[in-house]
Amino acid sequence: MKTILPFFVRYTPIEKLALINFEKKPDEIYCGLELQYLSGSRYGTGYRIIAYRNDGYVDMYDDNALTFDPNEKCDVAGKGLHKHLCTSLDGVRFEKTGYTVMLDFEFTDIEGRSICVHIHEQTKRRSTPMNLLAPIGVGSENPPYLPAFFLYDFDFVRKNRTKVEIKIDGNKIKLDSFPYPVPMNGQFRYYTRYSMNSLIFEFLPTDLQAAEVELNENLQYISDNILYQFKSNGSHVGLAEIELLGERKLFVNFTPEITLESCEGRFTITPNGSMGSIAGEYSVVRSGDTVTVKLIPNEGWKGVPNSFITKILMSPDSVFCSWCKKYEYNCRINLSNLSYESEWKNGNLTQNPAPSGQ
C-alpha cells in the first residue's frame, strides 16, 4: 500500500572524532580544530578537519581519500560553512591503546599556512569515559536539522605526562584546560576531547521533504539504511517507529503513532547502550488538504551518569541536557500536490549569545 511519509531522518557515518580547543589564546583565524574519521558509501573512507573560525564560521578540509561534494553544507556549527576544500591530510594517526590516545595530523590551510597537531598521552593510569550527547547545536544560527550527535566512550585528554605540540604557521598553540577547576576522576585534563565510537544522527533534515512511499506487507518502508515502521489504527496508517539499521542502532518512537490527521503525542530518540534518550512532544493539525506538524524536544536529553563529574555534566539544567529543549520543528504539507515547507528554530540564541568555537 502507498502512504505519505511526512519527514525523513539521516545517518552520517562519522565513526570517531576529536575536538581540540584553544579559544583562550586563539590563532589569528582559528580557535579550534575537529578531526573526524568517516566511513560510508556517501563519503568514502577517510579523514576530515572542521576548523572553527574566530568569526563564528567554519572551514571544512576533506582528505583526498573522501568523495568531495562541493555542495555540502555545515550549518549546525555556529554561523555555518565559510570554505570547503579538498586537501592532503598528512601523517594522520587517531588511535587509542589501552587508556591512552594518540592524535597526529598535518595540513595546509586556506591561507597557505602549515598546521601541525601532535597529542600523545603517555600515562598508564586508567580513565573512565562517558557517553554524551554533544551540544554542537546550541549556537547554530540556521539549524538544518536537530543534531543528535551521540558520543560513546567520550573522554578528555589527560595533562600529566601528555606530549603536546601544536603549531600554526610556525607559532606554538596552547591547549585550553578543562573548564571545571577540579580533576576529573582524579586527573587534571585538557578541554581536548574525543570519541572512538560516535553515532551522528540528523533528525528531520529540512532538505528532505514529504513523499509518497510504498509500504511492504509489514507496513514498512526502508531507505538509506533507515526503516520507517507504520501502524494501522483502523481508519488511518501512522508512523510509529524509525529504526537505524546496522551495527549502530537507534530508535525514534511516536506514541501514539503520528498520522496526517489532527493528533498529538510524545516522541523519543533512543540509541543503544547506556546513552539515555531525547524526548519531547509533537502535534499535528489538519485543515482540508493542509497539514501542520510541530515537534519540540522539550524534555531535553536524559543521560546516564557514571561518576561524580558526569552527574554535574548531566544535571537537568546543564547545557548538555538542556540545549535541545529550545529547538522547535515546524512543517506544512499540502496533500494535494505534496508541496512542503519546513524549518528548525534554535531558541538558545534568543536568550544567550552563541558561544564561539565548538
Side-chain angles (χ1 to χ4, degrees):
M1 66 175 293
K2 291 185 177 180
T3 190
I4 294 174
L5 182 59
F7 39 65
F8 290 80
V9 299
R10 185 160 52 208
Y11 165 69
T12 300
I14 301 175
E15 294 191 356
K16 53 185 180 179
L17 56 85
L19 300 103
I20 303 163
N21 277 72
F22 39 93
E23 291 187 6
K24 302 297 182 182
K25 294 184 178 180
D27 166 62
E28 61 183 48
I29 298 177
Y30 298 129
C31 59
L33 301 169
E34 178 176 342
L35 177 66
Q36 300 177 347
Y37 177 74
L38 297 91
S39 182
S41 59
R42 179 181 168 195
Y43 297 94
T45 299
Y47 287 93
R48 164 179 288 174
I49 299 290
I50 304 294
Y52 292 84
R53 299 171 56 91
N54 297 322
D55 60 11
Y57 291 91
V58 299
D59 292 326
M60 190 156 61
Y61 298 89
D62 281 2
D63 184 61
N64 292 321
L66 292 177
T67 302
F68 184 76
D69 180 1
N71 299 314
E72 188 173 356
K73 298 181 180 180
C74 186
D75 292 334
V76 295
K79 296 179 180 179
L81 183 64
H82 174 251
K83 294 289 185 181
H84 184 192
L85 302 93
C86 186
T87 189
S88 176
L89 298 181
D90 300 319
V92 181
R93 292 184 67 183
F94 187 3
E95 303 171 358
K96 187 174 183 180
T97 303
Y99 299 112
T100 62
V101 70
M102 177 179 292
L103 283 166
D104 293 293
F105 59 90
E106 299 180 6
F107 68 103
T108 302
D109 75 1
I110 56 175
E111 299 296 330
R113 307 179 309 164
S114 174
I115 297 181
C116 304
V117 174
H118 304 286
I119 301 173
H120 296 181
E121 280 189 329
Q122 294 186 318
T123 179
K124 295 182 179 180
R125 292 187 62 187
R126 178 174 180 173
S127 182
T128 303
M130 68 188 79
N131 295 334
L132 195 70
L133 172 67
I136 187 69
V138 66
S140 178
E141 294 193 2
N142 298 291
Y145 49 81
L146 179 73
F149 291 9
F150 297 104
L151 308 179
Y152 290 89
D153 296 328
F154 181 80
D155 209 351
F156 295 84
V157 171
R158 274 82 60 82
K159 281 188 172 183
N160 186 37
R161 299 182 62 190
T162 297
K163 291 186 176 181
V164 177
E165 184 179 21
I166 302 175
K167 290 184 178 180
I168 299 180
D169 201 24
N171 299 313
K172 291 185 178 181
I173 299 297
K174 184 178 180 180
L175 289 178
D176 289 349
S177 295
F178 189 67
Y180 294 94
V182 293
M184 182 177 178
N185 302 131
Q187 300 174 82
F188 288 100
R189 312 280 178 142
Y190 291 109
Y191 198 38
T192 296
R193 57 258 196 230
Y194 63 93
S195 168
M196 309 298 290
N197 179 15
S198 60
L199 196 167
I200 309 301
F201 187 68
E202 302 176 10
F203 186 54
L204 311 190
T206 55
D207 64 329
L208 300 178
Q209 67 179 45
E212 186 177 59
V213 298
E214 181 76 37
L215 303 183
N216 62 22
E217 64 275 10
N218 296 318
L219 299 182
Q220 298 170 340
Y221 173 72
I222 301 175
S223 176
D224 294 329
N225 213 39
I226 305 290
L227 185 151
Y228 301 86
Q229 179 67 63
F230 285 78
K231 180 180 178 181
S232 175
N233 62 11
S235 57
H236 301 288
V237 171
L239 180 61
E241 184 177 78
I242 301 173
E243 178 184 353
L244 174 62
L245 303 174
E247 293 183 6
R248 287 171 165 78
K249 304 293 290 185
L250 180 143
F251 297 90
V252 181
N253 292 97
F254 298 95
T255 308
E257 62 273 10
I258 187 168
T259 72
L260 296 180
E261 303 297 324
S262 295
C263 60
E264 61 183 23
R266 185 173 179 268
F267 71 93
T268 57
I269 304 173
T270 308
N272 65 336
S274 301
M275 183 58 76
S277 62
I278 298 172
E281 299 175 346
Y282 76 81
S283 65
V284 179
V285 176
R286 178 168 180 174
S287 178
D289 286 335
T290 300
V291 176
T292 303
V293 181
K294 176 182 290 189
L295 291 96
I296 304 176
N298 55 355
E299 296 182 34
W301 173 63
K302 295 180 181 179
V304 183
N306 63 353
S307 66
F308 172 75
I309 192 68
T310 55
K311 288 181 180 180
I312 297 175
L313 293 175
M314 299 179 191
S315 64
D317 294 330
S318 72
V319 64
F320 297 99
C321 296
S322 65
W323 69 268
C324 57
K325 291 182 180 181
K326 300 180 178 67
Y327 266 60
E328 179 180 313
Y329 174 81
N330 291 279
C331 78
R332 179 174 294 181
I333 307 169
N334 188 318
L335 299 180
S336 62
N337 58 11
L338 281 187
S339 61
Y340 185 89
E341 298 176 357
S342 66
E343 68 170 350
W344 278 100
K345 296 180 180 178
N346 180 7
N348 293 284
L349 301 183
T350 62
Q351 297 182 15
N352 299 294
S356 61
Q358 57 272 47

